[in-house]
């Protein structure tokens, strides 16, 4: 007996409406949450993706569109002079690495002892 003919549950398939929902949901939910939304297990959603490549494409497209929208906003804020957003954008998109340079201004007192004669470094301008 084949699945659906008394040999187990028939495979889950998504219709066009559900595929469209997948694209919208992918912007804000994880695959596990999308599976919960449809009332199926995450493994079942992955099986649907395997049988219906259009579902997989919709999930990827939805996530990519959301990332593009957020990235545009981040870029706009960076261009407008938001220093933190500029650093974030450059570090994630351009491999930029902010390094911190610490400068020290040390004051040292030097005293020289030459042949029993003591010379203060301050007298020499040090």
């Amino acid at each position: 007996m084949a699945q659906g003919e008394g040999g187990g549950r028939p495979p889950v398939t998504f219709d066009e409406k559900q595929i469209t929902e997948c694209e919208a949901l992918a912007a804000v939910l994880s695959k596990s949450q999308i599976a919960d939304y449809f009332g199926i297990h995450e493994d079942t959603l992955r099986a649907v993706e395997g049988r219906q490549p259009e579902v997989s494409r919709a999930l990827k497209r939805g996530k990519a569109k959301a990332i593009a929208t957020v990235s545009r906003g981040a870029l706009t804020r960076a261009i407008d002079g938001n220093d933190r957003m500029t650093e974030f954008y450059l570090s994630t998109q351009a491999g930029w690495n902010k390094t911190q340079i610490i400068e020290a201004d040390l004051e040292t007192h030097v005293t020289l002892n030459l042949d029993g004669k003591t010379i203060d470094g301050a007298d020499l301008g040090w």
Side-chain angles (χ1 to χ4, degrees):
M1 271 185 254
Q3 277 189 323
E5 299 176 7
R9 292 184 182 172
V12 174
T13 56
F14 281 17
D15 59 28
E16 286 303 316
K17 180 179 180 258
Q18 290 170 312
I19 293 170
T20 301
E21 285 181 296
C22 279
E23 184 173 333
L25 294 170
V28 293
L29 299 178
S30 67
K31 284 189 180 182
S32 175
Q33 292 167 326
I34 292 170
D36 289 343
Y37 175 86
F38 287 110
I40 59 176
H41 191 275
E42 186 177 352
D43 292 343
T44 302
L45 177 59
R46 292 185 191 283
V48 170
E49 285 185 271
R51 288 191 302 275
Q52 292 182 267
E54 62 273 23
V55 172
S56 182
R57 285 192 299 271
L59 291 168
K60 289 177 185 176
R61 189 171 45 248
K63 185 168 286 295
K65 284 181 179 181
I67 291 169
T69 299
V70 171
S71 295
R72 275 193 296 275
L75 180 58
T76 299
R77 288 174 59 196
I79 290 169
D80 288 344
N82 182 314
D83 290 343
R84 290 185 69 178
M85 191 55 66
T86 300
E87 290 175 17
F88 173 76
Y89 188 84
L90 290 174
S91 67
T92 60
Q93 300 302 311
W96 183 75
N97 185 354
K98 179 182 176 183
T99 57
Q100 191 171 23
I101 298 173
I102 300 172
E103 293 183 21
D105 185 10
L106 302 176
E107 196 170 309
T108 305
H109 184 81
V110 176
T111 304
L112 299 173
N113 190 337
L114 299 172
D115 294 327
K117 183 177 179 186
T118 301
I119 304 171
D120 194 320
D123 294 339
L124 299 174
W126 314 344

